[in-house]
Amino acid sequence: MRLALLDLLVDAIRSIDDRIRRYDFRVNRTVGGPLERLGISRHTLGAIVLPSVLVFFIVNGPALRPSVRLGVAVAAAVLGGLIFAATLKEGQRRGFSIRGDLAIQAALLLAAAVVVWVTAAPPARERDDVIVYRHVLAPIVTLIAAAAVLGSVFAGWLFKSPPGRDAIPMRLRLVELFVPLELKPSITVATFLLAGFEAVTTTPGRLLLPAAMAALFLWRQWVVPAFIVLLFVNMILLASANLDARFSASWNLLHRLFFGGWAAAVSGVVIVLGVCRVFDIQYVSTIFDGARSYTIAGYLAVAYALAWWHDYWTSSVGAFRLLDLLGGRGAADDARIEYGYQGGEGETSVPLEGRFIQMHGFGRLLVVHQLGEHKPYFHTYNPLALADALTATLPAKDPVRAAFEWVKWRLNAHFLLAAALVVVSLGVPAYLLHRLPQQAQIPGPPPPPYAPPLWPVAASTVLFPYDACTGARPIVVVTASGGGTRAALYTASILERLKNIGQLQNVQLVSGVSGGGAALAYFAIHRTSLLGSEPRPWKDYFDAMQEAYIEDVIDGSGEWRMAAGDRLGTLLAESFERHWGGQRVRLGSLRDIGLLLNSAVAGRFAREPDDSPMVPLAELERRRGSGLSDATGGRVVYTNLDVPDNFENPSLIEPEPPRPRDARLPVYIVNGEHVLVSAAAAANANFPPVFSNAAVDQNRDLRLWVTDGGAIDNRGTETALMTIRYALQHGADACATRPPLHIIEIEASAFSNGYRQDRGLGSMLGGGAAFASQLDAELLAELKVRYGGLVQFHFLPMPPLLRRSGSFGTHWMLQQNITVCADVECRDELTVTGSDVIDALRMMDQPPPASARSKVDELRKRIAEETDQTHSENWRRLSSCLQAPRGAC
C-alpha cells in the first residue's frame, strides 16, 4: 500500500533530479557552454579551474595556514587561470588536438613547479616567513601531469586501426539515444526498505562518504549526531536512486566526482578517517579536534583536485577517441559530431533534425538537440555506457557488435594504462627516495677539531652538591611518565606545587618519558626563571605544554625534506624549539640539574671493521640495507650526565657475549654539547604509529633507531634509579652527610581497569610495565641498603578521572573540550574546556569547594570524590616529608 509520504518523497526526488540535470547541462557543456563566449568550445570550466587550483597548491603547499604565502598563491592561481584560458583558446584557434591542449597545460604546471623550486631557498621551511618553500606537491603534480600526457600518446596508438571504422558511424544512425522520461515509479514501504537495504549492502562507500566528510570538520559535540543524520538522509537518496533509473543517473553525477578514477582512493581515506573520528579513535580524533581544520581541508582539497584533473583529461581523451570513431576520422576535431538518427518517429518527443553528440564535462558525451524554439533535449553517457547502448539490440555474433567490443576493450585498456602510468610515475621516485640515506634526528658528535667538547657533568656532582651534603636540605629526584599533552601538563602542575612549598630548588635529577619527558626538558631549560618569584615564567610553561605541536607537524609534513631522507620527528623537535625558547638549548649547557630523557630502541646499525671511516654512517646503512634487532626493547637515554652505556649493570651471561641479547637491558647513552634538548625531547616522544622510528647517531660508528620511550615502560623510573646507583659508586664518597633522598614518580599513563576479550593483546602491551615495576622495586631496595641515609619513594598518579581512556587527549594538542567520565560506561559525564582542566590541575593541592560555582569547581569536586583521597594523602605525605627538619618523614 502506497503512502502519501512516499508520494511526496518521490516528487521531491524528481525535483532534485531536474535541478541536478539542468545544472550539469549548463555548467559542463562544451559547445554552447559557459566558455564558448571566450572562444573555447572543446572544454568545460574544469579545464581552467582545476589546473588553477593546482597552481595555488604548487605555490602555497598543502597547508592552508594564513600567511603572506597564501595571498601570493591566490594571485598565482588567478593568473594561472587566465593563462590556461588563453592557451585553450589559442589551441582551438590553431586547430590543436585535445592531446596538444593537455601537453600545453602540463607544460605550464611544470613551469610553475620549476619556478617555485628554483625560487625557494633549500633551507626554507613551511613555518618560515618566506614566500615559497620546497614541498612534495611540486614534483607530484608534474609527475602526474607527465603520466597524463604519456597516457594520451598511448591512447592515440590504442585507437589507431579499429575494425569496422565504417560500420560504427552507420550504427549511430540506427539507435535512439534520447531516453524518454520514465513514468513516476510506484513505491511502497516494502520496496523502499528493500532499496535502502540494497544501498547499504551494494554501495557502502557512497553511503558513508558525505557523513564521514562532515565528521572531519565539525565540532566534537556535533560529530556523532551529524553523522547519523547525514547517513540517514543519504540512505534515503540512494534508496530512491535504486528505484528510479533516471534519478540514479543524476545522482551518479555527484558520486562520480568522488568515486571515479583516483578520487575513489581519496574518498576511501576520507571514509576511514571520518569513521575513526566518529568512534573517537584517539590517534585520529585528537588531530581533527584541533583548531586548524583548514589545514586538513587543504590536504583533502589538493588530493581531490589532482585526482579530478587527471580524471578530466584521461576520460576526455577516451571520450574524444570514441567521438572520432562515431563521426568518422577527423569529424570530432571541434569535439562535436552530428547525430543523424534515421529511426522512426514517435520513439521520443525529440525532433530528428538538429541532433548532435558533443564532449561533456569529465569525459562524458552529451546527446543534445539543437536549441531553438524547442526546449533543450539532452542526455549524457560515459563512453562505455554509450557503446553498450549502441549494441544493446544487436545479435551476439553481429560483426558490428564485435567492432564495438573492440572499442570497449580499448577504452578499458586506456583507463588501465593511464592508472598504471600514475602508479609507475609515483612509485619509482618514491622507491628511489626511500633508498636515500636517512638523516639522523640527532646526529653524532662532530670530530674534535671542529667542536671542542663540553664534558658531561659528573652524576655524583649533580646529585650530591656541597650544600646538600651538609645535611641542610633534601635531594629530590622526579620521574614523569608519558601521556603526551596530558602528562606534560600534569608534570608541570606537580613541579609548580613543589615550587609553592619551597622545594623545587631541591630537585637535582629528572627523568621522563614522552609527554612527561618534554615537560621536564622545558623545566631544565628554564630552571632559573621558574625558580624565581615572577609568575610569568609559569604561565609561559603551561602555555608551552598545551601548544598544538601536532598541527605544526601536519603543516610541515608536506615539506620536500620529509620525502628526501627526513622524518616527522624532526618537525616535532623544531616545534618544541620554536615554542620553548630559552638560552640553555643544548644538553651540554645544563650544569645545575641532571636530565634523563628516555627512548625505546627499535633497532641499531653499526659500522663494521672493514668499512671505510670516511663513509658517513647514513650512506653505509643505505648500501647495506639492514641493521640489527638484537637491542630491541632497550633504552636510549639522552642526558647531560657522564653515565656510561648500560650504567655498568651486570650481565646475565658471563662472559659478556658480543651482542647484548639475553645478556642485559641494553642502555645506550647519548650526551654532548651537540645534542639539542628539543631534539632529545622529540625523540623521547616519538609516539607510534604517527611517527616512524627516528635515527639517532650515538657516534660515528653506531646508529640507533628509536621510538617513544613508553613502548617498553612509560615511566622512566628505572634509568633514574640506575643513575643514582652509578653516582653512589663513582664519587658519592665525597658527600660526608647523606641528605634525605626523595624519589617522586609522576604517573599520567592512560588508565583503564575494565577487562575485555583482547586475545592476549593487553598482556603483550602491559607486560613491559609489570616487569619494569619489579625492576624498579628491586633497584629501590638496593639503594636503601647502599645509600646510608633516608630514601623515600612517593607515587603521585594523575586522578583516573582525567587519564581514563577516551578522556584527556595525549597527542600533543590540548583539546578544546574534554569529556570526563566517572566510570567505564560513561554513565555520568562532565564536559569541560581544556583551560578548565589546567586550572583544576593547578589547584589540586587546595581543598575542593563545598559547592560548585563553575565547571572547574565541579571538576575539582569529582576528582576529590573519585580518588578516595589517595592522591591528596600521597601529596600531603610528600609535602610534610620535604618540609620536615632535614627532610625526614
Side-chain angles (χ1 to χ4, degrees):
M1 180 178 178
R2 298 180 60 190
L3 301 177
L5 182 61
L6 288 180
D7 289 335
L8 292 175
L9 177 62
V10 172
D11 292 336
I13 293 298
R14 278 296 178 96
S15 176
I16 295 174
D17 167 62
D18 290 336
R19 292 177 181 273
I20 294 175
R21 283 168 54 84
R22 287 197 299 267
Y23 180 80
D24 175 54
F25 178 72
R26 289 196 306 269
V27 174
N28 286 316
R29 290 185 69 187
T30 50
V31 179
L35 294 182
E36 191 170 51
R37 68 185 65 179
L38 301 178
I40 303 171
S41 60
R42 297 195 304 185
H43 295 283
T44 63
L45 286 171
I48 298 175
V49 173
L50 291 177
S52 300
V53 172
L54 295 181
V55 168
F56 168 84
F57 282 106
I58 287 175
V59 174
N60 183 78
L64 297 181
R65 184 172 56 87
S67 63
V68 175
R69 183 188 308 122
L70 195 67
V72 173
V74 171
V78 173
L79 178 60
L82 296 175
I83 295 174
F84 290 129
T87 55
L88 291 176
K89 178 179 179 180
E90 185 65 14
Q92 183 164 330
R93 188 183 71 82
R94 292 177 175 269
F96 292 166
S97 66
I98 191 171
R99 187 170 62 192
D101 292 344
L102 169 58
I104 293 173
Q105 195 162 106
L108 291 173
L109 291 174
L110 173 62
V114 169
V115 169
V116 169
W117 203 264
V118 173
T119 306
R125 306 290 185 253
E126 191 279 333
R127 294 293 303 187
D128 295 340
D129 188 18
V130 294
I131 300 299
V132 291
Y133 68 100
R134 294 181 178 180
H135 53 81
V136 296
L137 290 185
I140 287 177
V141 170
T142 54
L143 288 171
I144 291 182
V149 173
L150 191 57
S152 69
V153 173
F154 286 141
W157 172 75
L158 282 172
F159 291 90
K160 189 174 183 180
S161 302
R165 177 175 284 278
D166 296 329
I168 290 174
M170 291 297 297
R171 181 60 185 170
L172 179 64
R173 303 173 188 175
L174 304 176
V175 178
E176 175 62 84
L177 294 176
F178 282 100
V179 178
L181 179 65
E182 295 183 353
L183 296 176
K184 185 176 180 179
S186 177
I187 302 177
T188 64
V189 173
T191 58
F192 190 81
L193 291 176
L194 287 174
F197 180 75
E198 182 183 2
V200 173
T201 56
T202 60
T203 57
R206 294 182 177 186
L207 177 66
L208 289 170
L209 180 62
M213 187 171 292
L216 297 183
F217 300 102
L218 294 173
W219 295 107
R220 174 73 258 173
Q221 61 267 31
W222 294 106
V223 168
V224 174
F227 184 87
I228 294 173
V229 170
L230 288 175
L231 203 64
F232 179 74
V233 171
N234 200 32
M235 187 173 68
I236 291 177
L237 294 173
L238 288 174
S240 303
N242 287 336
L243 294 172
D244 189 335
R246 174 173 164 173
F247 178 67
S248 177
S250 297
W251 195 238
N252 281 337
L253 296 179
L254 300 177
H255 286 294
R256 190 180 187 282
L257 285 174
F258 298 99
F259 290 96
W262 288 103
V266 181
S267 297
V269 174
V270 171
I271 290 171
V272 171
L273 294 177
V275 171
C276 286
R277 192 175 186 216
V278 169
F279 286 96
D280 201 21
I281 305 300
Q282 287 293 302
Y283 284 104
V284 173
S285 62
T286 302
I287 295 174
F288 287 95
D289 286 345
R292 286 208 291 266
S293 58
Y294 46 78
T295 295
I296 305 299
Y299 281 88
L300 290 181
V302 69
Y304 274 121
L306 194 52
W308 289 336
W309 182 86
H310 181 269
D311 185 44
Y312 175 90
W313 284 105
T314 300
S315 57
S316 294
V317 167
F320 183 86
R321 291 298 172 188
L322 177 59
L323 199 62
D324 185 63
L325 291 175
L326 293 174
R329 184 182 296 275
D333 287 343
D334 60 352
R336 187 185 199 190
I337 63 172
E338 291 187 4
Y339 173 30
Y341 177 57
Q342 299 175 356
E345 297 277 1
E347 295 185 33
T348 68
S349 59
V350 182
L352 295 180
E353 299 296 327
R355 295 182 173 205
F356 295 91
I357 301 179
Q358 64 187 50
M359 297 282 291
H360 201 55
F362 286 91
R364 290 171 294 153
L365 294 170
L366 178 72
V367 183
V368 62
H369 177 261
Q370 177 68 46
L371 298 178
E373 297 179 357
H374 302 280
K375 65 178 182 179
Y377 297 98
F378 61 91
H379 194 75
T380 58
Y381 292 89
N382 66 57
L384 288 172
L386 181 57
D388 285 335
L390 291 172
T391 58
T393 60
L394 287 175
K397 296 184 178 181
D398 192 294
V400 178
R401 176 181 285 276
F404 274 99
E405 290 297 326
W406 181 93
V407 172
K408 290 169 59 178
W409 184 89
R410 293 303 170 110
L411 283 171
N412 285 321
H414 163 63
F415 292 121
L416 288 174
L417 185 57
L421 288 171
V422 171
V423 172
V424 172
S425 65
L426 296 181
V428 172
Y431 173 77
L432 295 176
L433 288 172
H434 178 72
R435 295 286 298 162
L436 289 176
Q438 177 63 52
Q439 302 300 316
Q441 184 169 318
I442 300 180
Y450 303 100
L454 184 63
W455 298 109
V457 185
S460 58
T461 302
V462 172
L463 264 172
F464 305 110
Y466 174 77
D467 59 337
C469 290
T470 61
R473 64 180 179 88
I475 296 298
V476 178
V477 175
V478 174
T479 70
S481 77
T485 299
R486 177 183 66 219
L489 289 169
Y490 181 58
T491 300
S493 71
I494 296 297
L495 294 178
E496 184 182 37
R497 288 157 68 180
L498 289 174
K499 170 70 165 51
N500 293 339
I501 63 174
Q503 297 298 319
L504 186 61
Q505 71 276 8
N506 295 328
V507 176
Q508 295 297 138
L509 177 67
V510 293
S511 175
V513 172
S514 194
L520 295 177
Y522 183 99
F523 167 68
I525 293 174
H526 297 274
R527 183 175 184 269
T528 302
S529 61
L530 290 172
L531 288 175
S533 58
E534 294 295 325
R536 179 71 188 193
W538 284 97
K539 180 183 183 304
D540 294 341
Y541 192 4
F542 282 96
D543 286 347
M545 292 302 100
Q546 63 180 297
E547 283 287 347
Y549 299 107
I550 194 63
E551 290 185 340
D552 286 349
V553 173
I554 294 171
D555 287 349
S557 60
E559 293 180 16
W560 173 249
R561 58 184 174 135
M562 294 299 108
D566 225 322
R567 288 293 185 268
L568 294 180
T570 302
L571 297 172
L572 181 61
E574 292 173 353
S575 184
F576 282 167
E577 184 178 14
R578 186 181 307 114
H579 291 291
W580 290 0
Q583 300 296 321
R584 309 194 310 174
V585 298
R586 297 182 181 274
L587 285 178
S589 61
L590 304 177
R591 318 298 291 178
D592 53 355
I593 188 173
L595 174 65
L596 306 170
L597 299 175
N598 302 272
S599 286
V601 180
R604 69 186 184 101
F605 178 85
R607 188 187 299 272
E608 299 292 344
D610 56 345
D611 291 331
S612 170
M614 303 304 296
V615 179
L617 202 59
E619 176 62 22
L620 282 176
E621 184 199 18
R622 185 193 68 82
R623 294 178 184 177
R624 205 174 300 164
S626 63
L628 299 170
S629 62
D630 54 6
T632 301
R635 280 284 195 208
V636 176
V637 180
Y638 317 97
T639 181
N640 61 330
L641 303 180
D642 66 345
V643 291
D645 286 352
N646 302 311
F647 292 103
E648 296 184 349
N649 293 329
S651 172
L652 177 64
I653 303 174
E654 298 292 350
E656 173 71 10
R659 294 181 180 177
R661 180 178 290 278
D662 295 330
R664 71 175 88 197
L665 173 67
V667 180
Y668 298 93
I669 302 299
V670 175
N671 52 22
E673 173 64 19
H674 68 287
V675 181
L676 291 170
V677 178
S678 56
N684 120 110
N686 198 62
F687 65 88
V690 175
F691 296 94
S692 59
N693 297 335
V696 173
D697 292 346
Q698 186 189 43
N699 49 52
R700 291 176 56 83
D701 298 324
L702 179 62
R703 165 164 288 190
L704 300 163
W705 291 94
V706 304
T707 187
D708 190 291
I712 56 174
D713 177 50
N714 204 35
R715 292 165 295 185
T717 303
E718 74 281 0
T719 54
L721 297 174
M722 292 176 188
T723 300
I724 298 171
R725 183 176 65 179
Y726 177 81
L728 289 174
Q729 297 171 344
H730 297 83
D733 293 340
C735 189
T737 302
R738 296 290 168 87
L741 177 61
H742 296 274
I743 302 167
I744 304 172
E745 182 177 290
I746 302 172
E747 173 63 274
S749 302
F751 171 80
S752 176
N753 58 358
Y755 167 76
R756 289 182 176 87
Q757 174 60 255
D758 59 6
R759 299 184 181 273
L761 184 62
S763 298
M764 181 181 69
L765 296 178
F771 280 95
S773 295
Q774 181 62 35
L775 173 62
D776 292 345
E778 295 183 3
L779 285 170
L780 183 63
E782 181 184 357
L783 282 179
K784 290 182 176 180
V785 173
R786 287 190 177 190
Y787 186 65
L790 177 67
V791 178
Q792 288 287 331
F793 179 81
H794 306 275
F795 183 55
L796 294 179
M798 190 178 197
L801 190 73
L802 295 178
R803 61 191 178 102
R804 181 170 284 115
S805 180
S807 174
F808 197 170
T810 63
H811 308 310
W812 293 125
M813 182 170 62
L814 179 64
Q815 298 143 276
Q816 293 181 343
N817 295 290
I818 298 171
T819 300
V820 293
C821 300
D823 52 31
V824 176
E825 289 77 16
C826 210
R827 289 168 295 191
D828 182 16
E829 64 179 35
L830 173 67
T831 299
V832 296
T833 66
S835 298
D836 291 339
V837 173
I838 294 176
D839 291 340
L841 288 176
R842 299 183 71 176
M843 292 188 289
M844 279 185 60
D845 57 340
Q846 305 172 16
S851 60
R853 298 182 178 179
S854 66
K855 286 195 173 183
V856 176
D857 292 341
E858 177 65 23
L859 179 60
R860 291 174 60 202
K861 287 187 63 179
R862 294 196 180 199
I863 290 173
E865 294 168 358
E866 185 196 44
T867 55
D868 295 326
Q869 305 301 314
T870 300
H871 178 91
S872 300
E873 290 176 3
N874 288 355
W875 172 253
R876 282 196 296 269
R877 179 173 179 273
L878 168 62
S879 179
S880 62
C881 288
L882 291 176
Q883 297 180 86
R886 297 182 178 272
C889 294

